[in-house]
């Protein structure tokens, strides 16, 4: 049983600075006309980064070839070296590289802007795809047989904790997004909607049963 959806961990869509695209719309247009298709990096088939790019391809109608890597550092090295064109990276990892000009940020995968990157639009806003959100999320759960009064108390305590300005500031400083937790019932609905959304992508990619 969920008691708190308290943090979302967004990804930043980044490209090699040598790419002519300065915005997401320019990237999509460039990708549509690229021959051979552009390639993009992820940390493996079925990862959130992989799914997020495939979801973007479906929603925006461009093509790009998936190049899976064993680790994020390997993919970032090749991204900076121009061997792959784009990737979705965790905010904490990519922020220093963006500030140093080694990578260019085009959009964030969350529904809202990141405080650390206020000038980089959410993917949904930049692409006009209101339903787009590709994030990792952090949720506290308890065994399903936990008595409801305990569930309600824990939920209330997490709401109180997450409303503290110092907590929200500390989370935002890590490149994460603090969340005002929905109700227990709404969290169940959120879990189901995420299963449906990503399950559809998994089926379309033929990744059912894979790790």
């Amino acid at each position: 049983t969920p008691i708190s959806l308290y943090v979302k961990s967004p990804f930043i869509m980044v490209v090699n600075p040598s790419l002519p695209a300065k915005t997401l719309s320019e990237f999509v247009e460039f990708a549509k006309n690229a021959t051979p298709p552009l390639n993009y990096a992820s940390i493996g088939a079925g990862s959130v980064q992989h799914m997020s790019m495939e979801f973007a391809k479906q929603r925006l109608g461009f093509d790009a070839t998936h190049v899976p890597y064993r680790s994020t550092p390997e993919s970032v090295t090749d991204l900076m070296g121009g061997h792959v064109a784009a990737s979705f990276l965790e905010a904490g990892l990519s922020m220093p590289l963006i500030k140093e000009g080694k990578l260019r940020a085009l959009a964030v995968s969350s529904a809202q802007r990141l405080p650390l990157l206020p000038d980089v639009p959410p993917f949904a806003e930049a692409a006009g795809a209101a339903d787009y959100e590709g994030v990792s999320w952090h949720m506290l759960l308890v065994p399903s047989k936990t008595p409801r009064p305990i569930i309600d108390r824990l939920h209330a305590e997490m709401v109180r904790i997450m409303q503290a300005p110092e907590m929200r500031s500390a989370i935002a400083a890590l490149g994460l997004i603090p969340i005002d937790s929905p109700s227990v019932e709404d969290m169940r609905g959120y879990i189901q909607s995420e299963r449906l959304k990503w399950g559809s992508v998994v089926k379309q990619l033929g990744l059912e049963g894979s790790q």
Side-chain angles (χ1 to χ4, degrees), residues 137-181:
W137 39 269
H138 301 244
M139 185 181 288
L140 291 180
L141 302 102
V142 293
S144 59
K145 294 182 179 179
T146 302
R148 184 63 192 232
I150 294 176
I151 291 171
D152 291 341
R153 180 178 177 182
L154 292 172
H155 175 73
E157 281 296 295
M158 280 300 295
V159 169
R160 181 187 64 80
I161 290 168
M162 292 305 297
Q163 287 176 343
E166 61 270 22
M167 177 64 78
R168 300 182 77 87
S169 295
I171 290 172
L174 297 173
L176 305 174
I177 300 173
I179 299 296
D180 294 324
S181 181

Coordinates of all heavy atoms in Angstrom, one line a residue, residues 137-181:
W137 N 10.3 7.7 -10.2 CA 9.6 8.3 -9.1 C 9.9 7.5 -7.8 O 10.1 6.3 -7.9 CB 8.1 8.5 -9.3 CG 7.4 7.4 -10.1 CD1 7.3 7.3 -11.4 CD2 6.8 6.2 -9.5 NE1 6.6 6.1 -11.8 CE2 6.3 5.4 -10.6 CE3 6.7 5.7 -8.2 CZ2 5.6 4.2 -10.4 CZ3 6.0 4.4 -8.1 CH2 5.5 3.7 -9.2
H138 N 9.8 8.2 -6.7 CA 10.2 7.5 -5.4 C 8.9 7.5 -4.6 O 8.3 8.5 -4.3 CB 11.2 8.4 -4.7 CG 12.5 8.5 -5.5 ND1 13.7 8.0 -5.0 CD2 12.8 9.1 -6.7 CE1 14.7 8.2 -5.9 NE2 14.1 8.9 -6.9
M139 N 8.6 6.3 -4.1 CA 7.3 6.1 -3.4 C 7.6 5.2 -2.2 O 8.2 4.2 -2.3 CB 6.2 5.5 -4.3 CG 4.9 5.4 -3.6 SD 3.6 4.7 -4.8 CE 3.4 6.0 -5.9
L140 N 7.1 5.6 -1.0 CA 7.1 4.8 0.2 C 5.9 3.9 0.2 O 4.8 4.4 0.0 CB 7.2 5.6 1.4 CG 8.5 6.4 1.7 CD1 8.4 7.2 3.0 CD2 9.7 5.5 1.7
L141 N 6.1 2.6 0.5 CA 5.0 1.7 0.6 C 5.2 0.9 1.9 O 6.3 0.7 2.5 CB 5.0 0.7 -0.6 CG 4.9 1.4 -2.0 CD1 6.3 1.4 -2.6 CD2 3.9 0.6 -2.8
V142 N 4.0 0.3 2.3 CA 4.0 -0.5 3.5 C 3.3 -1.8 3.1 O 2.6 -1.9 2.1 CB 3.3 0.1 4.7 CG1 4.1 1.3 5.2 CG2 1.9 0.5 4.3
P143 N 3.4 -2.9 3.9 CA 2.7 -4.1 3.6 C 1.2 -3.9 3.5 O 0.6 -3.1 4.2 CB 3.1 -5.0 4.8 CG 4.4 -4.6 5.3 CD 4.4 -3.1 5.1
S144 N 0.6 -4.6 2.6 CA -0.8 -4.3 2.3 C -1.8 -4.6 3.5 O -2.9 -4.1 3.5 CB -1.3 -5.2 1.1 OG -1.1 -6.6 1.4
K145 N -1.3 -5.4 4.5 CA -2.2 -5.7 5.6 C -2.0 -4.6 6.7 O -2.6 -4.8 7.8 CB -1.8 -7.1 6.2 CG -2.2 -8.2 5.2 CD -1.9 -9.6 5.8 CE -2.3 -10.7 4.8 NZ -2.0 -12.0 5.4
T146 N -1.2 -3.6 6.5 CA -1.1 -2.6 7.5 C -2.4 -1.9 7.8 O -3.1 -1.5 6.9 CB -0.1 -1.5 7.0 OG1 1.2 -2.1 6.7 CG2 0.2 -0.4 8.1
P147 N -2.8 -1.7 9.1 CA -4.1 -1.1 9.4 C -4.2 0.3 8.9 O -3.2 1.1 8.8 CB -4.0 -1.1 11.0 CG -3.1 -2.2 11.3 CD -2.0 -2.2 10.3
R148 N -5.4 0.7 8.4 CA -5.6 2.0 7.8 C -5.2 3.2 8.7 O -4.6 4.1 8.2 CB -7.0 2.1 7.3 CG -7.3 3.4 6.6 CD -6.5 3.4 5.3 NE -6.5 4.7 4.6 CZ -6.9 4.9 3.3 NH1 -7.2 3.9 2.6 NH2 -6.9 6.1 2.8
P149 N -5.4 3.1 10.0 CA -5.0 4.3 10.8 C -3.5 4.5 10.7 O -3.0 5.7 10.8 CB -5.4 3.9 12.2 CG -6.6 3.0 12.0 CD -6.2 2.2 10.8
I150 N -2.7 3.5 10.7 CA -1.3 3.6 10.6 C -0.9 4.2 9.2 O 0.0 5.1 9.1 CB -0.6 2.3 10.8 CG1 -0.8 1.8 12.3 CG2 0.9 2.4 10.5 CD1 -0.2 0.5 12.6
I151 N -1.5 3.7 8.2 CA -1.3 4.2 6.8 C -1.6 5.7 6.8 O -0.8 6.5 6.2 CB -2.2 3.4 5.8 CG1 -1.7 2.0 5.7 CG2 -2.1 4.1 4.4 CD1 -2.6 1.1 4.8
D152 N -2.7 6.1 7.3 CA -3.1 7.5 7.3 C -2.1 8.4 8.1 O -1.8 9.5 7.7 CB -4.5 7.7 7.9 CG -5.6 7.1 6.9 OD1 -5.3 6.9 5.7 OD2 -6.7 6.8 7.4
R153 N -1.6 7.9 9.2 CA -0.7 8.6 10.0 C 0.6 8.8 9.3 O 1.2 9.9 9.3 CB -0.5 8.0 11.4 CG 0.5 8.7 12.2 CD 0.7 8.1 13.6 NE 1.7 8.9 14.4 CZ 2.1 8.5 15.6 NH1 1.6 7.5 16.2 NH2 3.1 9.2 16.2
L154 N 1.1 7.7 8.7 CA 2.4 7.8 8.0 C 2.3 8.7 6.8 O 3.2 9.5 6.5 CB 2.8 6.4 7.5 CG 3.2 5.4 8.6 CD1 3.4 4.0 8.0 CD2 4.5 5.9 9.3
H155 N 1.1 8.7 6.1 CA 0.9 9.6 5.0 C 0.9 11.0 5.4 O 1.6 11.9 4.8 CB -0.4 9.2 4.3 CG -0.8 10.2 3.2 ND1 -0.2 10.2 2.0 CD2 -1.7 11.2 3.2 CE1 -0.7 11.1 1.2 NE2 -1.7 11.8 1.9
A156 N 0.2 11.3 6.5 CA 0.2 12.7 7.0 C 1.6 13.1 7.5 O 2.0 14.3 7.3 CB -0.8 12.7 8.2
E157 N 2.4 12.2 8.1 CA 3.7 12.6 8.5 C 4.6 12.9 7.3 O 5.4 13.9 7.3 CB 4.3 11.5 9.3 CG 3.9 11.4 10.7 CD 4.3 12.7 11.5 OE1 5.5 12.9 11.7 OE2 3.4 13.4 11.9
M158 N 4.5 12.2 6.2 CA 5.3 12.4 5.0 C 4.9 13.8 4.4 O 5.7 14.5 3.8 CB 5.2 11.3 4.0 CG 6.1 10.1 4.3 SD 7.9 10.6 4.4 CE 8.1 11.0 2.7
V159 N 3.6 14.0 4.4 CA 3.1 15.3 3.9 C 3.7 16.5 4.7 O 4.2 17.5 4.1 CB 1.6 15.4 3.9 CG1 1.1 16.8 3.6 CG2 0.9 14.4 2.9
R160 N 3.7 16.3 6.0 CA 4.3 17.4 6.9 C 5.8 17.5 6.6 O 6.3 18.6 6.4 CB 4.1 17.0 8.3 CG 4.7 18.0 9.3 CD 4.5 17.5 10.7 NE 5.3 16.3 11.0 CZ 6.7 16.3 11.2 NH1 7.3 17.5 11.2 NH2 7.3 15.2 11.4
I161 N 6.5 16.4 6.5 CA 8.0 16.5 6.2 C 8.3 17.1 4.9 O 9.2 18.0 4.8 CB 8.5 15.0 6.3 CG1 8.5 14.5 7.7 CG2 10.0 15.0 5.7 CD1 8.8 13.0 7.8
M162 N 7.5 16.8 3.9 CA 7.8 17.3 2.5 C 7.4 18.7 2.4 O 7.8 19.3 1.4 CB 7.2 16.4 1.5 CG 7.8 15.0 1.4 SD 9.5 15.0 1.1 CE 9.6 15.8 -0.5
Q163 N 6.6 19.3 3.3 CA 6.3 20.7 3.2 C 7.3 21.6 3.8 O 7.3 22.8 3.7 CB 4.9 20.9 3.9 CG 3.7 20.4 3.1 CD 2.4 20.5 3.8 OE1 2.4 20.7 5.0 NE2 1.3 20.4 3.1
A164 N 8.3 21.0 4.5 CA 9.4 21.8 5.2 C 10.2 22.4 4.1 O 10.8 21.7 3.2 CB 10.2 20.9 6.1
P165 N 10.4 23.8 4.1 CA 11.2 24.4 3.1 C 12.6 23.9 3.0 O 13.2 23.8 1.8 CB 11.2 25.9 3.6 CG 10.0 26.0 4.4 CD 9.8 24.7 5.1
E166 N 13.2 23.5 4.1 CA 14.6 23.0 4.0 C 14.7 21.7 3.3 O 15.7 21.4 2.6 CB 15.2 22.9 5.4 CG 14.5 22.0 6.4 CD 13.4 22.7 7.2 OE1 12.9 23.8 6.7 OE2 13.1 22.2 8.3
M167 N 13.6 20.9 3.5 CA 13.6 19.6 2.8 C 13.4 19.8 1.3 O 14.1 19.1 0.5 CB 12.5 18.7 3.4 CG 12.3 17.4 2.7 SD 13.7 16.3 2.9 CE 13.4 15.7 4.6
R168 N 12.5 20.6 0.9 CA 12.3 20.9 -0.5 C 13.5 21.5 -1.2 O 13.9 21.1 -2.3 CB 11.1 21.8 -0.7 CG 9.8 21.2 -0.1 CD 8.6 22.0 -0.3 NE 8.1 21.9 -1.7 CZ 7.3 21.0 -2.1 NH1 6.8 20.1 -1.2 NH2 6.8 21.0 -3.3
S169 N 14.2 22.4 -0.4 CA 15.4 23.0 -1.0 C 16.5 22.0 -1.2 O 17.2 22.0 -2.2 CB 15.9 24.1 -0.1 OG 15.0 25.2 0.0
A170 N 16.7 21.1 -0.2 CA 17.7 20.0 -0.3 C 17.5 19.1 -1.4 O 18.4 18.7 -2.1 CB 17.8 19.3 1.0
I171 N 16.2 18.7 -1.6 CA 15.9 17.8 -2.7 C 16.1 18.5 -4.1 O 16.6 17.9 -5.0 CB 14.4 17.3 -2.6 CG1 14.3 16.4 -1.4 CG2 13.9 16.6 -3.8 CD1 12.9 16.0 -1.0
A172 N 15.6 19.7 -4.2 CA 15.8 20.5 -5.5 C 17.3 20.7 -5.8 O 17.7 20.6 -7.0 CB 15.1 21.8 -5.4
A173 N 18.1 20.8 -4.8 CA 19.6 21.0 -5.0 C 20.2 19.8 -5.6 O 21.3 19.9 -6.2 CB 20.3 21.4 -3.7
L174 N 19.6 18.6 -5.5 CA 20.1 17.4 -6.1 C 19.6 17.2 -7.5 O 19.9 16.2 -8.1 CB 19.6 16.2 -5.2 CG 20.2 16.1 -3.8 CD1 19.5 15.0 -3.0 CD2 21.7 16.0 -3.8
G175 N 18.8 18.1 -8.0 CA 18.2 18.0 -9.4 C 17.0 17.1 -9.4 O 16.6 16.6 -10.4
L176 N 16.4 17.0 -8.2 CA 15.1 16.2 -8.1 C 14.0 17.1 -7.8 O 14.2 18.3 -7.6 CB 15.2 15.2 -6.9 CG 16.4 14.2 -6.9 CD1 16.5 13.4 -5.7 CD2 16.4 13.3 -8.2
I177 N 12.7 16.6 -7.9 CA 11.6 17.4 -7.8 C 10.8 17.0 -6.6 O 10.2 15.8 -6.6 CB 10.7 17.4 -9.0 CG1 11.5 17.9 -10.2 CG2 9.4 18.2 -8.9 CD1 10.7 17.8 -11.6
P178 N 10.7 17.8 -5.5 CA 9.8 17.4 -4.4 C 8.4 17.4 -4.7 O 7.9 18.3 -5.5 CB 10.2 18.4 -3.3 CG 10.6 19.6 -4.1 CD 11.3 19.1 -5.3
I179 N 7.6 16.5 -4.2 CA 6.2 16.3 -4.6 C 5.3 16.4 -3.4 O 5.6 15.9 -2.3 CB 6.0 14.9 -5.3 CG1 6.8 14.8 -6.5 CG2 4.5 14.7 -5.6 CD1 6.4 15.7 -7.6
D180 N 4.2 17.1 -3.5 CA 3.1 17.1 -2.5 C 2.3 15.8 -2.8 O 1.6 15.7 -3.8 CB 2.2 18.3 -2.7 CG 2.9 19.6 -2.3 OD1 3.8 19.6 -1.4 OD2 2.6 20.6 -3.0
S181 N 2.5 14.8 -1.9 CA 2.0 13.5 -2.2 C 0.5 13.5 -2.4 O -0.3 14.1 -1.6 CB 2.3 12.6 -1.0 OG 1.9 11.2 -1.3

